Amino acid sequence: VEITFTENGLVYAGGGMDSTTHGLLVYDPRVPSEMGPGVYDDTITITACLDAHCVNPIPPYPLILPVQITVSDTVSGPNGYTVRIIDVTGTAMAWDRTRQLIYLAQPGSYAPPPVHNIGTFDPAAAQVVNTVSNSWSPGPMAISDDDQFLYVGTTYTEDQLKRLRLVDLTEDASIDLGTNSDGMPYDVRELAVAPSQPQVVAMARSINPGGSTTGGLVIFDGTTPRSVIVGAQPDLVNGPVIDHLTWGADATHIYASNDSGQNPEVYDILVDASGGQIVRTTPAATHGGLHFANGLLYTNNGLIFDTTTLTQVGTLVPQ
């Protein structure tokens, strides 16, 4: 099949055709933000031939097919909303409620000298209003609930956790993450700052950023780790494996999940001055991060748990 093109920049690629099968692959190299909301009319011309160079077309080809494409920035339904697509990159982000700003991790090139950025994005202005460059590559981020500190896990460079003052994004402390039994340095997989305790941060570690070789859950007071590490030597079959975490209503409970081990689970972890201890476990096929609100635990794949019993009480359904 030979395909010819178009008025609106759309690209159509042809597939083979015989007595039983035919194929047409449609690919649009322009994203909706480039096209803008609207209705676009276009045509596709299809020619079927008896030879590779289409010297002998088969009647009644060519066929001219009308195509209409609708691009919308509005999601309908009872919980509908309007989407703005803004051309700003970031591998992680954190929301500053006091200043109404979003901080973006913007790792850059590793060619010498390496330059990596923390970008400050103003959602009202829809633009980056400030950029601070560092020699280390930023990864996972978390903000203390008093909007005093921004914690940033470094990746591929220093294998540390940086604590920055939000008032000017200057470095306040650098926290070493330790190494595993083979001497390989840990990275930050995910982190969360304790409620009402801006210098207490919990961290899920991994050998490679975002990797499945986890290194347990560590709680730091300032730059000092508490002695008990949950899942320090994880068993990928029997657990515990700490992939994601969130604090509960206060600094006495952390909820965590295992979605990289062979038996996915959710954990209720009781926290004390020495570290943490799993007090309740529920098998659950979670995926991605966790979020606590009003006594409920939400997973990125839409599961809802009652944290008093750690039982699933619902599922989020897209509207």
Side-chain angles (χ1 to χ4, degrees):
V1 181
E2 179 179 291
I3 311 295
T4 57
F5 308 97
T6 80
E7 298 136 25
N8 289 321
L10 306 178
V11 175
Y12 299 87
M17 178 179 287
D18 57 31
S19 61
T20 59
T21 63
H22 66 277
L24 175 65
L25 172 66
V26 181
Y27 171 65
D28 181 3
R30 297 188 304 170
V31 298
S33 62
E34 294 176 317
M35 299 176 72
V39 178
Y40 299 86
D41 292 311
D42 210 331
T43 60
I44 308 172
T45 301
I46 305 177
T47 303
C49 307
L50 295 172
D51 56 289
H53 300 288
C54 211
V55 175
N56 300 295
I58 304 172
Y61 293 95
L63 296 178
I64 299 176
L65 305 179
V67 177
Q68 188 173 83
I69 300 169
T70 300
V71 178
S72 175
D73 60 0
T74 301
V75 178
S76 60
N79 299 315
Y81 51 87
T82 298
V83 177
R84 275 193 306 172
I85 301 176
I86 302 166
D87 188 17
V88 174
T89 61
T91 59
M93 63 176 63
W95 169 243
D96 182 343
R97 290 170 295 181
T98 300
R99 300 166 184 84
Q100 298 287 290
L101 297 170
I102 297 172
Y103 301 99
L104 301 171
Q106 298 179 312
S109 170
Y110 290 92
V115 177
H116 311 280
N117 297 328
I118 301 292
T120 303
F121 178 77
D122 182 348
Q127 63 182 358
V128 173
V129 295
N130 184 46
T131 299
V132 175
S133 297
N134 300 284
S135 62
W136 41 267
S137 176
M141 308 172 78
I143 281 182
S144 59
D145 60 6
D146 64 354
D147 296 324
Q148 180 182 0
F149 295 119
L150 173 67
Y151 289 84
V152 184
T154 66
T155 57
Y156 303 108
T157 48
E158 297 185 16
D159 301 305
Q160 293 179 331
L161 177 63
K162 302 291 186 180
R163 189 175 70 205
L164 310 180
R165 300 181 188 90
L166 275 175
V167 66
D168 56 8
L169 290 181
T170 57
E171 186 174 323
D172 179 70
S174 185
I175 301 170
D176 183 66
L177 307 184
T179 60
N180 70 357
S181 57
D182 296 324
M184 299 179 65
Y186 285 116
D187 291 291
V188 177
R189 181 176 179 83
E190 195 165 286
L191 66 156
V193 187
S196 302
Q197 297 190 34
Q199 296 201 36
V200 176
V201 62
M203 176 196 314
R205 303 181 302 184
S206 64
I207 293 299
N208 54 309
S212 60
T213 308
T214 60
L217 183 153
V218 187
I219 301 172
F220 286 86
D221 297 296
T223 60
T224 304
R226 296 185 187 180
S227 58
V228 177
I229 300 173
V230 178
Q233 295 179 325
D235 182 331
L236 294 179
V237 176
N238 301 310
V241 176
I242 308 298
D243 289 311
H244 305 283
L245 60 94
T246 184
W247 291 89
D250 54 35
T252 64
H253 278 269
I254 290 174
Y255 301 98
S257 65
N258 157 21
D259 60 20
S260 66
Q262 295 184 28
N263 296 303
E265 296 173 306
V266 174
Y267 310 110
D268 179 2
I269 300 171
L270 182 64
V271 177
D272 59 25
S274 64
Q277 177 184 357
I278 295 174
V279 293
R280 194 178 287 115
T281 300
T282 295
T286 65
H287 180 73
L290 302 174
H291 314 272
F292 174 88
N294 301 319
L296 296 175
L297 182 68
Y298 299 84
T299 72
N300 273 12
N301 62 329
L303 306 183
I304 307 172
F305 296 86
D306 181 345
T307 56
T308 61
T309 59
L310 210 62
T311 56
Q312 185 177 342
V313 295
T315 303
L316 293 175
V317 178
Q319 299 292 320

